[in-house]
Amino acid sequence: MRDFVFNGLPSRVVFGAGSLSCLERELDALRIGRALVLSTAQQEKLAHRIADSLGERCAGVYPRAVMHVPIETARAAREEASRRNADCIIAAGGGSTIGLGKAIALESGLPLLAIPTTYAGSEMTPIYGITDGGIKRTGKDPKVLPRTVIYDPDLTLDLPLSVSVTSGMNAIAHAAEGLYAQDRNPLMELAAQEGIAAIARAIPELHRAPRDATARADALYGAWLCGMVLGNVGMALHHKLCHTLGGSFDLPHADVHTIVLPHALAFNASAAPEAMSRIARAIHADSAADGLYELAKAHGAPVALKSIGMRHEDLDRAAELAVSSPYWNPRPFGPAQKVEIRELLQRAFDGVRPD
Ligand code: NAD
């Protein structure tokens, strides 16, 4: 047994089909008077459904969340919350909407209640990101950790299949890197392995029947566990590459995670054999990297960066950016490993099997 330090994050989780009906009870528990409800434009119907259920306790709906939390959107939403005397923010949606809620909580100190509808996992972390002048600034602050999270699988029934698969792979990526994190601990390792297994079980079921209630519950359960891992332990090479590709080349978040993960795991395989065998066991495959590549490909997810808008001429710069400020990784990568990282990106660009 390795020595470890574990400092669990304080958030309350309510899980179950139909659990959105517990919202008022949860607001009471937080002693909330009036909440502002956030969503994207695409999910405005859900925001209004929540607003209608709250009646007088709803301070308004702000349906303007977009990807990457532009600072102008965050400021406008914060002003709206203050103008309407909201004493709580409810974020109903994926990582973009929850990200907007976090940006408001960061500046205002208002409590955040999250109702996640994808598998990205932001609701379980104190990590925020705000984009100012084209540059995404990220940080950690306990103020942005949602006080309460309501996971209602019914709200994910209409998540498009393609997004369900890539968002599930995004969740698996958090847990996979958690298994070889420097600050990992036995509880997060259990959560990671169980989270990966739940999502890997759900993806083929969703592919067969996207509205299957059991598969939707499995996927959201897995997302909770994987998000918890992301919130509690450090991430490594895979997340560094995805932050670089998403942040500097404006590629879609979950797609990038799906494509890069098998290649990042192949790079790390020799340095983290125990983590690799736990991942392989969870997905019932012989190899973690190859098994996840197959899981994505067999269920229609993209496997090549070239298919999601990456330009070949940007690969050198991406490698340069990634190695110039590396994260801790079980197999160190820095300027001295630029050639290997460039080769890894080439394989991800071409969409070949991980090596
Ligand atoms: P997203 O929130 O941008 O959602 C993608 C699209 O799907 C949106 O149009 C949304 O309205 C729609 N959608 C969401 N749920 C739906 C549902 N159930 N039915 C139908 N449509 C639905 O995408 P995402 O992948 O959830 O989040 C990505 C963002 O989250 C990125 O900016 C990423 O950096 C951030 N993120 C942050 C953390 C963190 O800890 N801070 C963790 C993971 C992701």
Side-chain angles (χ1 to χ4, degrees), residues 47-59:
H48 281 290
R49 184 178 144 201
I50 292 170
D52 292 346
S53 77
L54 292 179
E56 290 292 297
R57 292 183 85 175
C58 180

Side-chain angles (χ1 to χ4, degrees), residues 9-14 26 29-32 87-89 105 108-114 123-125 142-150:
L9 294 170
S11 74
R12 176 176 163 88
V13 169
V14 178
E26 294 304 318
L30 290 172
R31 300 182 194 291
I32 297 308
D87 60 0
C88 171
I89 303 297
S108 66
L110 289 178
L112 175 62
L113 185 151
E123 65 282 355
M124 293 308 294
T125 84
K143 275 206 299 267
V144 310
L145 179 72
R147 303 279 178 90
T148 302
V149 181
I150 296 180

Side-chain angles (χ1 to χ4, degrees), residues 12-331:
R12 176 176 163 88
V13 169
V14 178
F15 189 100
S19 56
L20 183 60
S21 63
C22 303
L23 180 57
E24 279 228 73
R25 182 193 78 197
E26 294 304 318
L27 290 180
D28 287 344
L30 290 172
R31 300 182 194 291
I32 297 308
R34 282 159 55 80
L36 181 70
V37 183
L38 310 178
S39 73
T40 59
Q42 295 85 340
Q43 289 183 286
E44 187 168 357
K45 232 167 98 181
L46 170 63
H48 281 290
R49 184 178 144 201
I50 292 170
D52 292 346
S53 77
L54 292 179
E56 290 292 297
R57 292 183 85 175
C58 180
V61 168
Y62 193 84
R64 289 197 272 281
V66 289
M67 274 275 252
H68 302 313
V69 194
I71 194 154
E72 302 75 18
T73 312
R75 283 198 187 117
R78 197 169 63 239
E79 279 158 21
E80 184 80 351
S82 147
R83 205 167 56 76
R84 291 178 177 256
N85 287 323
D87 60 0
C88 171
I89 303 297
I90 295 176
S96 298
T97 305
I98 295 169
L100 177 60
K102 287 178 164 183
I104 301 173
L106 181 69
E107 296 293 327
S108 66
L110 289 178
L112 175 62
L113 185 151
I115 306 173
T117 63
T118 68
Y119 311 129
S122 177
E123 65 282 355
M124 293 308 294
T125 84
I127 306 163
Y128 63 85
I130 298 172
T131 304
D132 189 359
I135 295 176
K136 192 163 178 178
R137 172 171 63 90
T138 58
K140 252 187 181 181
D141 193 311
K143 275 206 299 267
V144 310
L145 179 72
R147 303 279 178 90
T148 302
V149 181
I150 296 180
Y151 283 107
D152 184 343
D154 286 353
L155 304 180
T156 63
L157 292 175
D158 294 320
L159 186 65
L161 177 63
S162 58
V163 186
S164 303
V165 176
T166 56
S167 190
M169 294 297 295
N170 183 192
I172 288 178
H174 307 325
E177 290 228 295
L179 282 167
Y180 52 63
Q182 206 176 11
D183 55 352
R184 65 189 183 275
N185 64 69
L187 189 55
M188 287 307 113
E189 287 174 318
L190 286 172
Q193 197 169 336
E194 171 73 0
I196 293 171
I199 293 182
R201 186 167 68 230
I203 286 177
E205 291 302 321
L206 291 175
H207 196 250
R208 260 193 294 280
R211 289 179 61 83
D212 182 86
T214 307
R216 284 295 176 190
D218 261 352
L220 201 57
Y221 163 66
W224 165 53
L225 293 170
C226 296
M228 197 194 308
V229 175
L230 175 68
N232 278 286
V233 300
M235 296 290 115
L237 171 69
H238 167 76
H239 280 73
K240 176 68 198 184
L241 292 174
C242 292
H243 292 161
T244 304
L245 293 168
S248 305
F249 303 98
D250 201 25
L251 299 176
H253 178 83
D255 289 2
V256 171
H257 273 271
T258 304
I259 295 165
V260 171
L261 184 62
H263 302 282
L265 294 184
F267 181 90
N268 281 336
S270 59
E274 173 59 27
M276 297 304 151
S277 57
R278 290 184 88 138
I279 298 165
R281 271 202 304 281
I283 61 173
H284 303 292
D286 294 333
S287 142
D290 213 47
L292 289 173
Y293 177 86
E294 269 307 316
L295 183 65
K297 193 169 179 187
H299 299 100
V303 291
L305 291 173
K306 67 182 176 194
S307 74
I308 60 160
M310 180 85 191
R311 300 182 322 164
H312 190 263
E313 58 267 38
D314 287 333
L315 289 177
D316 284 343
R317 197 159 73 86
E320 178 72 44
L321 286 170
V323 300
S324 62
S325 59
Y327 296 172
W328 179 88
N329 192 55
R331 177 177 166 196

